[in-house]
Amino acid sequence: QTILYFLRSFEYSQKNAILVPVAALGVGGMLVYWLRSRRKVETIEMGDGWWGSGERPLKVKEDESIRPFKIVTSDKEIEDLYRRLDQARYTPHVEGAAFHYGFNSSYLQKVVAYWRNQFDWRKQVEVLNKYPHFHTTIEGIDIHFVHVKPPYVPHGRAVQPLLMVHGWPGSFYEFYKIIPLLTEPARHGLNEGDVVFEVICPSIPGYGFSEAPHQQGFDSIATARIFHKLMNRLGFKEYYLQGGDWGSRVTTNMAQMLPQSVRGLHLNVVFVNKQGLGRLISIMLGAYVPWLVGLTREDARRVYPFMQKNFFDILRESGYLHIQATKPDTAGCGLNDSPVGLAAYILEKFSTWTDKSFLHKDDGGLESKYSLDELLTNVMIYWVTSSIVSSMRYYKENFSKDPSLNAHSSVRVPTGIAAFPQEILHTPRTWAKDVYKNIITYTYMPRGGHFAAFEEPKLLAQDIMQFVRKVEQL
């Protein structure tokens, strides 16, 4: 019996010797598969696209040349504008309404009078051309971008490539005040020793001087892919990204698509649309015991009263979004035909998105933050390129594919967030971490709203530099 026991034990141990490694191999294989599939979920497939007119040519190689480009104007263009301004019709505003009904028509007439009699488009074209402009063809359409290199780089200092992406109803021109701060920091009192940038500011396809997509479906993911291709074509293997509004979504998608190419992601607005019991509890308790749910006192001040700031204010400010996300071409017809209508539609956003309290001012507070020359230059970029309709379509293309505008996957690259107090929505750091898993800096900015680079270029430049410095020290 003893011998039989040993024989059976030996047989059992032999089976174990085979079964244990097989089981371990199986478990290990499942773990590897899970990790690999998890990694797949955490990135967006780059894919490819064609946005040119008609079918994609099968045997013709795309022209990858970088072509210098200059903005030009003509007597005919200016005369046509003047004729339309002179023929504008106005509706009397409701007394005491300020900007509560939209753009105040009495102030609009003052803006149009300045536009017609004092604004110098030729001079502003020279201002726009002070930085080098280029075109290159990607996926069948011409992509416009501004590319500014630092004029002087101190010995031993690395130049960091930085792609900055605008949103709606902005343009590449939003970055004109921040570009010199980033490319020549010492000259503007920002010489903190070790950070100088080479700045690339593209126009989203369908905006300004970037050709509009001719096919349906052009969304932020397609934009992200095209901008990666642009940076690669310019010879960059790794680079920093910065964005607000749609630029925040595009650069986030870029970080999700090719994280190995993104050294860092800096955003001045964050959209995190997470729902569920945890978020509900956070919202309910945050007003009373913010520390218990990871909110700071400043978060509580910016988020509450919750229904007012996150529902009623958003409802008031988002009528345009519903139109543009459903039937953009209908409203766009009128805006593309009337410069006065276009100015009212665009500039109203530069009022209340800069400061919510400007709703109560007869002039929308516009000239307290910007000059009319700056505001009208941005409007003119839409007007002379007839790009308002294609820019509005961007909402339909994105919301049709992803109505909740979820972030698709987590962002693992180093991230910096500049939270401006007058931003349309405030996203606390603890909520942002649901998507952005590697937040290196999170700054409560002392002032400023949605158009950060346009309104507070120095504050934004300082925050970008602080972020990049920390990333480079990692």
Side-chain angles (χ1 to χ4, degrees), residues 34 38-39 41-43 252 254-260 262-265 409-415 433-440 474:
W34 178 77
R38 187 169 176 265
R39 194 155 49 234
V41 172
E42 293 296 336
T43 59
T252 292
M254 290 178 76
Q256 293 163 326
M257 188 177 285
L258 290 178
Q260 67 273 22
V262 180
R263 289 187 67 78
L265 170 68
S409 64
S410 298
V411 176
R412 303 283 173 181
V413 306
T415 303
K433 280 161 63 178
D434 290 338
V435 172
Y436 302 92
K437 303 298 185 183
N438 189 11
I439 298 175
I440 304 297
L474 291 176

Side-chain angles (χ1 to χ4, degrees), residues 301-335:
R301 193 180 70 80
R302 295 187 185 192
V303 168
Y304 300 97
F306 187 82
M307 288 301 289
Q308 180 63 49
K309 291 186 176 179
N310 296 270
F311 183 76
F312 295 116
D313 286 356
I314 298 301
L315 196 63
R316 183 192 65 219
E317 293 298 329
S318 60
Y320 81 97
L321 187 149
H322 193 186
I323 292 170
Q324 294 177 193
T326 52
K327 304 285 184 67
D329 286 34
T330 305
C333 284
L335 300 176

Side-chain angles (χ1 to χ4, degrees), residues 15-134:
K15 283 181 182 175
N16 270 359
I18 296 168
L19 287 173
V20 169
V22 167
L25 200 63
V27 171
M30 288 173 67
L31 185 63
V32 169
Y33 175 80
W34 178 77
L35 287 170
R36 288 189 67 180
S37 64
R38 187 169 176 265
R39 194 155 49 234
K40 280 183 183 175
V41 172
E42 293 296 336
T43 59
I44 296 173
E45 195 70 37
M46 186 158 179
D48 200 7
W50 170 258
W51 309 105
S53 184
E55 294 291 323
R56 184 175 202 159
L58 294 176
K59 295 184 179 178
V60 180
K61 190 175 185 298
E62 190 162 76
D63 177 10
E64 296 187 357
S65 64
I66 308 290
R67 305 179 295 276
F69 168 75
K70 267 197 178 293
I71 300 168
V72 296
T73 187
S74 65
D75 291 343
K76 184 179 177 183
E77 183 175 75
I78 294 169
E79 286 164 9
D80 177 66
L81 172 69
Y82 287 170
R83 177 181 60 80
R84 293 168 187 265
L85 294 179
D86 289 340
Q87 293 177 350
R89 298 191 304 171
Y90 301 90
T91 302
H93 72 275
V94 178
E95 292 180 13
F99 263 54
H100 286 273
Y101 284 66
F103 206 105
N104 183 295
S105 61
S106 292
Y107 179 61
L108 180 60
Q109 290 178 67
K110 293 178 182 176
V111 172
V112 172
Y114 180 88
W115 198 359
R116 174 65 176 84
N117 302 311
Q118 292 173 265
F119 178 76
D120 188 342
W121 175 232
R122 283 190 178 85
K123 179 184 172 186
Q124 293 308 113
V125 165
E126 289 179 14
V127 170
L128 291 174
N129 283 327
K130 76 177 180 177
Y131 295 129
H133 294 250
F134 301 90

